[in-house]
Amino acid sequence: MHHNFLVWEGPPPDLHWGDQSASNKNITRRSLALQSRSACRPERLPVKQMFGQSYPLKYEPLWHPGHVLAELARKHVFPLATNALLVENTFPKPIGSGRCRSFLCGTLIGHEKPDVRVIHSADLIPPGVCNLLNPSTIYANNEVNLDEVDIYGFDYDYTLALYSNSLNEMIYNKARQFLVEHYKYPQGISKYNYIPNFAARGLHYDIQKSFLKNAFHYIQMGTVYRGLKPVPDEEVMQLYRGSNHVPLHQVSGFYGKGPKMKQFMDVFSLPEMTLLAAANDYFISNDIEYDPVHLYKDVSDAIAMVHIKGYMYKWIMQDLEKYILRGDETYAVLHRLASHGKKLFLITNSPFSFVDKGMKYMVGKDWRDFFDVVIVQADKPHFFNDCVKPFRRLDSNGDLQWDKIKSLDKGQIYKQGNLVDFLKLTGWRGSKVLYFGDHLYSDLADLMLRHGWRTGAIVPELEVETKVVNTEQYAQSLTWLQALTGLLERMQMYRDAESKKVLQDWLKEREEAVTKNLFNPQFGSIFRTCHNPTYFSRRLCRFSDLYMASISCLLNYDLSYTFYPRRTPLQHEAPLWMDQLCTGCMKTPFLEEMAHIR
């Protein structure tokens, strides 16, 4: 939807409110006062407080809720002190007949040749706000000085090795086959093909109700699905006893698993969520009674069998070029770190034969020369939180050795083990260690909260989501969303019937103006659904010091670079700091000159 605006300056024209129909059908649905008489002059308006520069515009950009409305002296009456008025025409929506739907709607009459200009809504977005974010940016939740980091650690899957989306479909198809052939589920489930963009990482699954949803202690209405169909908000409220609140102990435990809910946190969860939705949809559509708890366990086991039986490893090793992405960037990162004297280590749950073949493809046959310690089949997160399993060494053929491990030596391959012994044998403790992984719980949580390592989260979805955020459509939607929020904040004190109707219309439009559909139509962005940060986003902020789309983002920064988190204003603080627009823009040091990396 595009918005056009009429803007005029000088004394406002007369406005007739209420029953009168607009004499010009191109005018009106909402009128917004932007500035008082003192601020509206033909020259450029000073908006340095918001954006640090002035723009060649004769009006204040519609951007921040505080600039949306001038004071309204009384309801239905625009104050005469206002001399800059913005009247929006949204088409192709018809205006309709009868009472105006908004008491800020009106008809321009009795004004001779006002200074009127037609302006596209894109012009209301300050220059430079769009297309700022670079997908190769590293974002900081906490201050991190790379000059103090001497040791870099890595997970393997979706950290050193990024996989193509076709792998998810292969996992889904094989697990669906197990479900039908091994667990004897109806053949009709085989007709459900993989839906690439149905699920999103970080969702919660209510095991007993078969609900897949976005939740953050409160269920995000409009994002609840049973099977492949959305569940009406009224039914959700009824099933949760009249509340959308989910008690903390039910949402998830420390590792995302609660007694009644499971949070899907890694990229490998996408096929599992889709298969759960497909199987539920089959039973519901065919009116077949089933136990949702059994279904959840069987689907989880079927997905696990794909990994345990080695199918995924076999597919990737048979066609490395098809499944592994951007291996040359992995080599570039490891070479750069090693050449600067940094120590490197690898801790992965994957088997050595699989890792060895993938690393030879990406880095070369001598890939082990980059690493001081290599640990496979580590059984994370247990590797990080108990001290039960000892390290075992593998020989060159991958066979287990029986000797006692007294040191972790370069060039050797170790299996299992635990972090307590790892710390004793290496002495690598505290903030001089930076470990990268994609799973917030299995890879990062214990390291940050219990052991004091710095952590870096790999979030491949950032690349796609950044492209969406950089679009004009997103900027326009967000701008209008902020405007509606400002209107609701200012006008909610009016309690007469007509005003309440208008406020309800605005509230409904605010819900429709959310940016959810620009990301995942079912569940929105993995970082924010509708107006609230997701549970994934909250965990990301707690368990990671840095986050980025891939480890190749490290190539854009000097190894003595210090990452500073944005000073995001608290609710009671004024949003006047310029660093609101700094992180991630093309002018960030090193990003512009290193643009050739991508």
Side-chain angles (χ1 to χ4, degrees):
M1 175 66 68
H2 291 291
H3 302 285
N4 288 328
F5 299 92
L6 294 176
V7 178
W8 64 92
E9 297 166 353
D14 293 329
L15 298 175
H16 283 197
W17 307 96
D19 288 324
Q20 305 214 18
S21 299
S23 59
N24 183 344
K25 293 297 183 182
N26 289 328
I27 296 175
T28 148
R29 211 153 81 43
R30 286 172 294 270
S31 309
L32 305 178
L34 297 184
Q35 290 291 338
S36 65
R37 182 189 305 273
S38 61
C40 293
R41 293 184 293 272
E43 63 268 25
R44 296 180 180 180
L45 291 178
V47 289
K48 289 185 179 180
Q49 299 95 323
M50 285 296 296
F51 304 107
Q53 57 183 309
S54 293
Y55 304 100
L57 305 173
K58 295 183 180 179
Y59 55 87
E60 183 78 23
L62 175 59
W63 185 255
H64 187 268
H67 290 187
V68 171
L69 286 174
E71 292 297 323
L72 290 176
R74 295 185 181 277
K75 59 184 178 181
H76 299 196
V77 179
F78 228 87
L80 295 178
T82 301
N83 64 359
L85 186 65
L86 182 73
V87 178
E88 180 206 1
N89 160 42
T90 305
F91 59 95
K93 282 187 179 179
I95 295 175
S97 58
R99 271 198 168 302
C100 291
R101 300 183 67 81
S102 167
F103 54 71
L104 288 183
C105 292
T107 304
L108 295 174
I109 63 172
H111 191 274
E112 294 184 1
K113 298 181 180 180
D115 179 14
V116 176
R117 293 170 287 142
V118 178
I119 298 173
H120 192 274
S121 59
D123 296 330
L124 293 175
I125 301 167
V129 171
C130 299
N131 302 314
L132 281 179
L133 296 181
N134 187 315
S136 296
T137 301
I138 293 177
Y139 299 95
N141 293 319
N142 299 303
E143 184 175 325
V144 176
N145 183 356
L146 292 185
D147 200 35
E148 298 175 354
V149 177
D150 299 322
I151 303 122
Y152 287 77
F154 302 92
D155 181 30
Y156 180 72
D157 296 301
Y158 282 105
T159 301
L160 290 176
L162 295 178
Y163 301 122
S164 65
N165 292 331
S166 56
L167 181 61
N168 289 331
E169 184 173 4
M170 294 289 288
I171 294 172
Y172 173 91
N173 290 340
K174 179 57 71 172
R176 182 188 58 189
Q177 180 183 339
F178 279 138
L179 202 61
V180 173
E181 296 180 1
H182 182 78
Y183 293 96
K184 308 304 180 183
Y185 274 68
Q187 283 287 342
I189 294 177
S190 299
K191 298 179 182 179
Y192 284 79
N193 294 323
Y194 181 65
I195 307 172
N197 297 315
F198 174 74
R201 191 149 61 120
L203 299 179
H204 281 86
Y205 184 74
D206 188 314
I207 297 171
Q208 295 178 332
K209 295 180 177 63
S210 301
F211 283 177
L212 191 62
K213 60 191 178 182
N214 238 320
F216 50 96
H217 305 312
Y218 289 89
I219 299 169
Q220 178 62 63
M221 293 302 182
T223 69
V224 181
Y225 276 70
R226 182 195 288 119
L228 298 174
K229 298 179 178 62
V231 182
D233 292 348
E234 298 77 15
E235 184 177 348
V236 173
M237 294 291 287
Q238 181 181 1
L239 289 173
Y240 285 98
R241 300 180 180 180
S243 172
N244 65 334
H245 177 256
V246 180
L248 178 62
H249 70 278
Q250 292 184 13
V251 173
S252 65
F254 185 75
Y255 298 104
K257 298 178 181 179
K260 297 182 179 180
M261 292 195 190
K262 163 72 182 293
Q263 188 183 18
F264 293 102
M265 291 297 286
D266 65 345
V267 183
F268 286 129
S269 296
L270 296 177
E272 183 175 354
M273 286 185 278
T274 308
L275 185 55
L276 275 170
N280 276 303
D281 191 80
Y282 174 82
F283 286 122
I284 294 169
S285 300
N286 291 277
D287 198 23
I288 299 175
E289 187 177 357
Y290 68 103
D291 189 322
V293 178
H294 294 334
L295 174 62
Y296 166 75
K297 185 179 185 306
D298 293 343
V299 169
S300 297
D301 290 345
I303 291 288
M305 287 176 69
V306 177
H307 297 273
I308 294 171
K309 291 182 175 292
Y311 287 100
M312 187 195 77
Y313 303 134
K314 181 178 67 174
W315 298 329
I316 294 174
M317 289 192 289
Q318 287 177 347
D319 199 343
L320 295 168
E321 187 174 356
K322 176 181 179 181
Y323 292 111
I324 293 183
L325 305 175
R326 305 205 296 262
D328 55 335
E329 296 178 6
T330 299
Y331 169 81
V333 171
L334 298 178
H335 181 270
R336 185 166 184 245
L337 294 174
S339 64
H340 281 76
K342 305 298 183 181
K343 294 185 180 297
L344 308 180
F345 67 93
L346 171 64
I347 302 178
T348 176
N349 286 349
S350 293
F352 172 69
S353 59
F354 173 69
V355 174
D356 184 53
K357 191 154 189 177
M359 290 299 290
K360 285 179 178 177
Y361 171 75
M362 293 186 291
V363 179
K365 63 179 182 179
D366 298 324
W367 68 270
R368 287 157 62 181
D369 293 344
F370 284 119
F371 293 92
D372 294 87
V373 178
V374 176
I375 301 168
V376 298
Q377 292 177 277
D379 192 26
K380 296 178 292 182
H382 302 296
F383 179 93
F384 295 130
N385 58 41
D386 65 40
C387 55
V388 176
K389 294 180 180 179
F391 284 107
R392 299 196 67 174
R393 187 170 57 87
L394 301 180
D395 64 15
S396 57
N397 296 320
D399 296 324
L400 284 173
Q401 301 299 292
W402 45 263
D403 55 319
K404 183 177 178 63
I405 304 302
K406 298 181 179 180
S407 62
L408 298 177
D409 301 322
K410 187 170 184 175
Q412 299 295 320
I413 304 297
Y414 300 93
K415 179 182 177 180
Q416 297 177 345
N418 62 84
L419 188 64
V420 173
D421 289 343
F422 181 90
L423 296 176
K424 289 179 181 178
L425 296 173
T426 62
W428 296 344
R429 299 176 183 273
S431 58
K432 68 180 181 180
V433 184
L434 174 56
Y435 184 80
F436 295 91
D438 68 292
H439 199 300
L440 300 183
Y441 295 134
S442 297
D443 289 325
L444 307 181
D446 286 298
L447 295 178
M448 166 170 273
L449 300 181
R450 299 180 182 180
H451 301 288
W453 285 8
R454 311 315 294 263
T455 56
I458 304 301
V459 188
E461 296 92 339
L462 260 176
E463 195 161 336
V464 173
E465 297 220 357
T466 298
K467 293 178 181 178
V468 174
V469 171
N470 283 340
T471 62
E472 181 180 312
Q473 184 180 5
Y474 176 86
Q476 290 181 1
S477 297
L478 187 61
T479 298
W480 187 240
L481 182 63
Q482 294 286 73
L484 286 169
T485 302
L487 286 167
L488 288 164
E489 285 181 335
R490 297 293 187 91
M491 304 307 298
Q492 59 186 303
M493 72 284 298
Y494 297 115
R495 300 299 182 184
D496 60 280
E498 186 178 6
S499 298
K500 286 183 178 180
K501 177 62 170 62
V502 172
L503 289 169
Q504 286 299 316
D505 288 344
W506 284 347
L507 191 61
K508 180 179 179 181
E509 184 168 0
R510 181 175 181 264
E511 294 303 315
E512 294 173 350
V514 296
T515 58
K516 178 172 80 82
N517 292 341
L518 300 178
F519 298 95
N520 179 295
Q522 292 76 235
F523 305 102
S525 163
I526 68 168
F527 301 102
R528 184 190 299 274
T529 297
C530 299
H531 310 290
N532 302 298
T534 61
Y535 198 73
F536 175 89
S537 181
R538 296 164 194 247
R539 301 292 89 182
L540 179 69
C541 291
R542 186 180 183 192
F543 298 147
S544 68
D545 293 296
L546 306 173
Y547 65 97
M548 64 213 74
S550 69
I551 61 166
S552 65
C553 297
L554 285 169
L555 297 171
N556 299 323
Y557 298 88
D558 187 87
L559 292 181
S560 61
Y561 189 86
T562 300
F563 295 96
Y564 297 99
R566 293 187 188 182
R567 188 182 174 93
T568 304
L570 301 175
Q571 292 299 310
H572 65 280
E573 294 177 320
L576 301 178
W577 302 308
M578 269 313 299
D579 62 358
Q580 293 300 293
L581 294 175
C582 289
T583 301
C585 72
M586 287 299 296
K587 294 182 180 180
T588 298
F590 307 109
L591 281 181
E592 194 163 14
E593 58 260 36
M594 298 297 287
H596 66 277
I597 294 297
R598 290 291 168 88

